[in-house]
Amino acid sequence: MEPNMLHYRIAERGKMHALDKNYTEALRHYKEALKLTQKQQDSELFFQHYSQCVMESLELSGAHDQVISFCENYRSFLEEKQQDVLVRKHKAFVSERQAIQHILKGEQEEAKTLLLEVQKDLGKGKQPITDELLNWLLRGYQVNANQLKRLQQKHNYFIVRKESVNPKIAMDLPEGVSPF
């Protein structure tokens, strides 16, 4: 493996930590991987993927305010990009994740506003989680964490799954390395 793929090996180890529910270590690895990708050409895909991993670990650890803040910053960053189909889809995914955090915090109206924005931009049938959540919210239902978890599992919302991790290449960060 090329030396410039060090970020990939570190991120894979982060995913292993996330699967073990050690989100602090997962985040430490993801953030170092993000830092390493910034120095590379064509790093945008890795940046997007690792950012999703960070948001996922934060969400699963219950840090909903941090995810909301991360999503808001990320959406602002995406606003500055050329609004092609991929950027619009990624922005919709980030908005959906932010809406889910609002639901988990009991802030249904904030979630509804974001989901309406996603559906208006992409149309119905493009984001199944958005469509289902929005349908429930518009009908006045209170969505609880268990309903949300089932919906997320049904639609493979979480990208870090055992079958998608390559433990053979995973590399631990030395203890002293802290990207924070």
Side-chain angles (χ1 to χ4, degrees):
M1 182 171 290
E2 300 173 44
N4 64 354
M5 290 300 281
L6 181 64
H7 63 86
Y8 180 65
R9 297 180 64 201
I10 291 169
E12 286 301 291
R13 185 64 180 123
K15 292 175 185 178
M16 291 172 65
H17 285 299
L19 291 171
D20 289 338
K21 296 180 176 25
N22 183 350
Y23 301 117
T24 302
E25 272 303 299
L27 288 166
R28 188 170 78 91
H29 282 71
Y30 295 151
K31 288 180 179 180
E32 181 65 15
L34 277 165
K35 203 160 108 179
L36 292 171
T37 62
Q38 291 172 355
K39 299 172 180 132
Q40 283 191 236
Q41 260 186 323
D42 303 326
S43 64
E44 200 157 317
L45 276 178
F46 288 112
F47 182 81
Q48 284 181 2
H49 180 70
Y50 299 158
S51 293
Q52 287 178 300
C53 292
V54 167
M55 288 186 283
E56 198 166 287
S57 281
L58 287 170
E59 178 178 329
L60 290 168
S61 69
H64 305 301
D65 288 328
Q66 283 183 276
V67 180
I68 289 169
S69 177
F70 195 101
C71 289
E72 286 171 347
N73 291 335
Y74 203 2
R75 287 176 41 232
S76 293
F77 168 76
L78 290 172
E79 281 296 322
E80 298 168 11
K81 299 267 182 208
Q82 176 72 32
Q83 294 299 304
D84 63 17
V85 173
L86 288 176
V87 170
R88 286 176 53 222
K89 283 180 82 170
H90 193 62
K91 186 176 159 201
F93 176 81
V94 173
S95 296
E96 180 181 86
R97 185 174 296 273
Q98 183 178 343
I100 286 170
Q101 306 316 300
H102 285 296
I103 289 171
L104 289 167
K105 290 181 64 184
E107 301 168 348
Q108 311 258 5
E109 286 305 310
E110 289 87 340
K112 193 186 315 180
T113 301
L114 284 163
L115 296 171
L116 281 166
E117 191 179 295
V118 169
Q119 203 174 65
K120 181 181 172 198
D121 188 39
L122 292 185
K124 286 185 180 181
K126 304 289 184 190
Q127 297 266 116
I129 293 176
T130 291
D131 292 344
E132 281 191 57
L133 282 176
L134 192 52
N135 181 38
W136 292 342
L137 293 174
L138 289 173
R139 293 168 63 201
Y141 291 113
Q142 291 292 313
V143 181
N144 67 39
N146 287 333
Q147 292 167 307
L148 197 50
K149 188 175 183 180
R150 284 193 300 275
L151 184 63
Q152 289 169 322
Q153 288 169 337
K154 175 182 170 184
H155 294 289
N156 290 320
Y157 171 84
F158 295 107
I159 58 171
V160 177
R161 297 186 294 273
K162 190 173 183 164
E163 66 273 10
S164 68
V165 176
N166 184 353
K168 290 180 184 153
I169 64 153
M171 184 178 125
D172 256 321
L173 271 180
E175 280 299 315
V177 175
S178 178
F180 301 107

